[in-house]
Amino acid sequence: MAISKVGVLGCGLMGSGIAQVCAQSGHSTLVLEVDQKLLDKGLGNIDKFLRGGVERGKLTAADRDRTMGNLRGTTRLEDLADRDLIIEAVVENLGAKREVFGKLDTLCPAATIFSSNTSSLSITELAASTKRPSRFVGLHFFNPVPLMKLVEVADTILTDRKVFDEALAFVGTLGKTAIRTRDKTGFIVNRLLVPYILDAVRALEEGVGAIKDIDEAMKLGCGYPMGPLTLLDLVGLDTTEHIANVFFEEFRERRFACPALLRRMVLAGFHGRKTGKGFYDYSGATPVPNDFLVGGA
Ligand code: CAA
């Protein structure tokens, strides 16, 4: 079965990026949000990104119009009944994901493939809660979705081989590179990335270096595109705390434990770029490190 009609659940940071790349690759794309305000915000972000691409000479105005023409938004779950593939990118909460998949299970034909962009929850648990566990895979995209070239495709012990191959082929149609991974918490990227960024927070807590120095160290010493604390601000401190908690629950290892500073920053509303403050303050023209976070009284 060739996948041509895609349904994306959620039009937030990840969902809007996923919907954009699907529409940009010529797939008829329908994206769902819980209300019109959030939907307009998400679609507005896509439009802004595409306009930025035109300004940078990365795509033509005709490409942008074609992409927007392939993209529609809805707040009605029933509208997704004709989709070949569902990609879920709603809030990282097992109950919320199970609820939406439960409803779609009765709306979509048996052939529709279900997938989740979860970065920490179990694909097996989600798949097993539906009536189509063999037609369920993990499709894990990276932030910012339109620029990051990788998608992790995760199977479970319940996944049909043909469905897995169709998912791999679909990722190819998006112009992304698919890697195969099994449904183990964190897959490959986050299993390696999460302990690294949590350790950067611990290094800051322990006074090994200041915010800017830790970031410069990994950028210039290892050639990483951005430092770990800048990356944390991009991913979101609240999201990272949640992922750390799920990983720690699974592995019970210190390297996955959420550092005290990160927890307190989340409690204080320092969620990263999305709230305008995290390890850096984003209110001015250029980000300024919040050195007071570890300063003395
Ligand atoms: N449309 C089209 N292209 C655009 C664009 C737009 N609106 N905006 C930027 N670009 C292009 C630029 O033109 C540039 O292209 P070239 O390389 O051809 O010149 C490229 O994108 C990079 O853009 P910038 O020069 O503006 O920015 P940058 O060089 O600072 O790179 C970045 C930005 C790609 C985000 C880079 O810093 C990076 O790769 N950071 C690491 C991100 C990362 O690690 N993400 C994973 C997070 S973990 C995750 O997501 C998983 C999870 O589960 C938590």
Side-chain angles (χ1 to χ4, degrees):
M1 182 185 93
I3 293 165
S4 70
K5 286 181 275 181
V6 182
V8 180
L9 310 181
C11 200
L13 195 62
M14 296 305 287
S16 62
I18 295 168
Q20 180 187 319
V21 296
C22 292
Q24 222 164 343
S25 336
H27 299 287
S28 151
T29 307
L30 185 58
V31 58
L32 176 87
E33 251 308 347
V34 285
D35 62 42
Q36 196 60 43
K37 203 171 151 211
L38 286 173
L39 186 58
D40 291 343
K41 189 174 170 212
L43 292 173
N45 285 337
I46 296 174
D47 188 53
K48 193 170 153 205
F49 191 95
L50 293 171
R51 283 177 194 282
V54 174
E55 277 160 28
R56 287 167 182 257
K58 293 282 172 180
L59 69 157
T60 64
D63 293 333
R64 182 200 62 212
D65 293 345
R66 203 171 309 117
T67 300
M68 291 311 279
N70 290 336
L71 183 65
R72 278 188 301 127
T74 184
T75 55
R76 289 161 32 98
L77 198 61
E78 308 83 272
D79 293 344
L80 295 155
D82 68 341
R83 301 288 103 182
D84 302 320
L85 170 70
I86 298 289
I87 307 175
E88 172 275 313
V90 304
V91 59
E92 196 71 344
N93 173 293
L94 184 66
K97 290 180 195 288
R98 285 181 61 158
E99 189 185 335
V100 72
F101 277 125
K103 288 181 184 156
L104 278 173
D105 224 358
T106 57
L107 291 169
C108 296
T112 303
I113 297 174
F114 283 2
S115 71
S116 173
N117 177 58
T118 183
S119 49
S120 59
L121 301 174
S122 162
I123 302 295
T124 310
E125 191 167 4
L126 287 172
S129 73
T130 70
K131 292 193 212 85
R132 63 186 81 211
S134 65
R135 301 188 69 75
F136 202 119
V137 293
L139 282 182
H140 187 216
F141 292 77
F142 294 85
N143 182 18
V145 178
L147 302 184
M148 302 308 284
K149 297 183 174 65
L150 183 74
V151 179
E152 291 180 305
V153 184
D155 68 352
T156 77
I157 53 176
L158 300 164
T159 312
D160 183 323
R161 284 299 86 208
K162 284 202 201 104
V163 170
F164 192 60
D165 289 342
E166 281 176 64
L168 288 169
F170 169 74
V171 171
T173 68
L174 302 181
K176 307 264 185 213
T177 297
I179 52 128
R180 299 155 184 261
T181 179
R182 300 232 77 188
D183 177 35
K184 299 267 169 64
T185 301
F187 309 131
I188 298 171
V189 172
N190 277 346
R191 189 178 183 127
L192 301 178
L193 179 68
V194 171
Y196 157 65
I197 54 177
L198 296 178
D199 256 346
V201 181
R202 281 188 261 273
L204 179 68
E205 282 179 325
E206 290 164 21
V208 181
I211 293 171
K212 197 137 198 322
D213 292 324
I214 290 173
D215 275 348
E216 290 286 285
M218 297 313 289
K219 266 179 82 173
L220 303 181
C222 295
Y224 286 12
M226 53 173 59
L229 301 173
T230 301
L231 180 58
L232 246 157
D233 278 354
L234 175 75
V235 171
L237 276 66
D238 52 338
T239 305
T240 307
E241 181 195 28
H242 178 80
I243 293 174
N245 290 343
V246 174
F247 280 33
F248 188 75
E249 186 64 27
E250 173 86 4
F251 299 111
R252 302 279 167 175
E253 291 176 28
R254 182 185 185 267
R255 66 198 175 109
F256 294 112
C258 183
L261 174 62
L262 181 59
R263 210 178 289 291
R264 275 153 189 76
M265 287 175 71
V266 173
L267 288 171
F270 285 58
H271 293 185
R273 280 195 198 174
K274 60 183 152 189
T275 57
K277 54 188 179 178
F279 290 96
Y280 293 82
D281 184 297
Y282 295 92
S283 56
T286 50
V288 177
N290 282 328
D291 288 321
F292 63 84
L293 289 168
V294 282

